[in-house]
C-alpha cells in the first residue's frame, strides 16, 4: 500500500513563527503536492513538484515556499506564519504516468 | 483552465435511501474526472475515476458515476446509503495529457440520518 505520512496531525504556532510541514511518501512517486483545505473552498493547490529540486507554484503560493531535496520528502514552509494561514494542510503524491493522487492524513495548523 | 462546480455543500439523506451528488465541470479541452472521498479525520481517498471508455464507472462500495459530455457532468450516485458513507465528497478534473494538476470542487458533505 502507498503510504503518505505527514509529520504532525495537529500544530499550534504563533504569528510570525517559521513553520515547517513535512511530507514523506514511500512509493518512489515523482510528483508531490501541497494543498490547503478550508470549509466552503475545497482543496486549493499551494505548490507542487514534478521531481527532485523542481517546484511549481499552484493557485495560492503567496506566503509559502517548498523544498524537495529528496524524492520521498516534500516540505512546506511558512516563512512568517499569519492567522489567515490557519487551515488543514494536505500532502499528496502521484506517479507521473498515472492519475491517482495518494493523500496523507493532513496537518491541522492553528496560528494564534 | 478547468473548473468544477459542486452546487450542494451539504446533503442529508436517510439511511437506505438513494443519493445523488452533483458535479459539473468546465473545460475547453478533454478531461479526466474523479471523485474523492474524505472520511472524518482522514485524508482523501480515490473513490472512482473516468479516463475513457464506458461512461458509467463504479466503485467497490456501491457508488457509481456517469460521465455526460453534453451536459459536462459527472454526478455520483448510490441506490442505498449506509451510515458508513458519511463523509465529504470531492469531484476533481484533470486535463488530458501531461503532468497537469487536479482541480477540485468545493466538496459536498453527505450526512446519513439513521
Amino acid at each position: 500500500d502507498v503510504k503518505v505520512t505527514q509529520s504532525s496531525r495537529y500544530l499550534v504556532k504563533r504569528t510570525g513563527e517559521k513553520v515547517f510541514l513535512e511530507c514523506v511518501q514511500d512509493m518512489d512517486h515523482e510528483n508531490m503536492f501541497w494543498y490547503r483545505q478550508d470549509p466552503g473552498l475545497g482543496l486549493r493547490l499551494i505548490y507542487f513538484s514534478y521531481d527532485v529540486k523542481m517546484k511549481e507554484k499552484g493557485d495560492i503560493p503567496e506566503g509559502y515556499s517548498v523544498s524537495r531535496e529528496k524524492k520521498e520528502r516534500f516540505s512546506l514552509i511558512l516563512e512568517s506564519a499569519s492567522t489567515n494561514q490557519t487551515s488543514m494542510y494536505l500532502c499528496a503524491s502521484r506517479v507521473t504516468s498515472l492519475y491517482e493522487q495518494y493523500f496523507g492524513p493532513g496537518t491541522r495548523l492553528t496560528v494564534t | 483552465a478547468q473548473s468544477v462546480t459542486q452546487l450542494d455543500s451539504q446533503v442529508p439523506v436517510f439511511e437506505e435511501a438513494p443519493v445523488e451528488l452533483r458535479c459539473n465541470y468546465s473545460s475547453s479541452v478533454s478531461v479526466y474526472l474523479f471523485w474523492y472521498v474524505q472520511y472524518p479525520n482522514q485524508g482523501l481517498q480515490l473513490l472512482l475515476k473516468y479516463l475513457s471508455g464506458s461512461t458509467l464507472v463504479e466503485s467497490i462500495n456501491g457508488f457509481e458515476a456517469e460521465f455526460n459530455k453534453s451536459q459536462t457532468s459527472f454526478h455520483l450516485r448510490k441506490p442505498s446509503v449506509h451510515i458508513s458513507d458519511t463523509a465529504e465528497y470531492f469531484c476533481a478534473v484533470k486535463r488530458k495529457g501531461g503532468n497537469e494538476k487536479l482541480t477540485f470542487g468545493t466538496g459536498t458533505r453527505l450526512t446519513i440520518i439513521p
Side-chain angles (χ1 to χ4, degrees):
Chain A
D1 274 356
V2 175
K3 196 150 212 171
V4 180
T5 56
Q6 295 183 230
S7 50
S8 306
R9 290 302 302 272
Y10 300 94
L11 208 53
V12 180
K13 295 291 181 180
R14 294 195 180 276
T15 302
E17 278 192 81
K18 191 169 185 176
V19 181
F20 293 87
L21 301 183
E22 305 284 339
C23 175
V24 177
Q25 50 94 3
D26 66 357
M27 285 301 291
D28 203 36
H29 287 174
E30 287 89 354
N31 301 169
M32 296 188 75
F33 305 82
W34 274 108
Y35 296 88
R36 64 177 281 176
Q37 182 182 8
D38 300 288
L41 297 177
L43 275 74
R44 293 179 291 167
L45 183 64
I46 305 171
Y47 267 98
F48 59 107
S49 170
Y50 288 139
D51 209 336
V52 177
K53 297 192 185 292
M54 296 177 68
K55 60 184 179 184
E56 297 265 350
K57 291 181 179 179
D59 301 316
I60 52 164
E62 296 77 21
Y64 304 95
S65 62
V66 290
S67 172
R68 189 148 180 223
E69 296 296 318
K70 292 185 177 182
K71 195 172 189 178
E72 68 271 17
R73 187 180 297 271
F74 192 35
S75 303
L76 180 69
I77 304 154
L78 286 66
E79 295 290 341
S80 177
S82 64
T83 54
N84 63 12
Q85 292 178 310
T86 291
S87 186
M88 171 70 86
Y89 289 87
L90 292 169
C91 175
S93 71
R94 181 185 75 183
V95 175
T96 303
S97 59
L98 297 177
Y99 311 100
E100 177 173 358
Q101 289 189 8
Y102 294 87
F103 283 83
T107 296
R108 187 168 294 282
L109 173 67
T110 302
V111 182
T112 62
Chain B
Q2 291 74 241
S3 66
V4 178
T5 302
Q6 292 181 252
L7 286 173
D8 305 308
S9 59
Q10 296 188 63
V11 173
V13 180
F14 285 103
E15 195 173 10
E16 298 183 5
V19 69
E20 178 180 82
L21 306 183
R22 296 180 292 168
C23 172
N24 289 88
Y25 69 93
S26 173
S27 177
S28 56
V29 297
S30 296
V31 295
Y32 300 122
L33 293 154
F34 307 82
W35 276 99
Y36 279 82
V37 58
Q38 185 179 33
Y39 297 106
N41 299 313
Q42 295 185 28
L44 276 71
Q45 304 171 34
L46 181 67
L47 186 61
L48 45 75
K49 62 188 176 189
Y50 171 76
L51 303 181
S52 64
S54 172
T55 56
L56 184 67
V57 290
E58 298 177 353
S59 73
I60 57 173
N61 58 352
F63 282 94
E64 64 179 31
E66 186 158 22
F67 169 53
N68 188 319
K69 190 174 181 180
S70 62
Q71 297 187 5
T72 60
S73 69
F74 191 53
H75 301 330
L76 182 69
R77 303 184 183 95
K78 189 170 185 180
S80 176
V81 296
H82 303 286
I83 290 288
S84 60
D85 293 324
T86 295
E88 190 151 20
Y89 293 80
F90 293 92
C91 183
V93 63
K94 175 189 174 297
R95 196 178 90 160
K96 284 188 179 180
N99 279 327
E100 300 293 329
K101 62 184 179 71
L102 284 177
T103 299
F104 285 87
T106 53
T108 298
R109 186 170 298 278
L110 176 63
T111 302
I112 309 302
I113 305 165

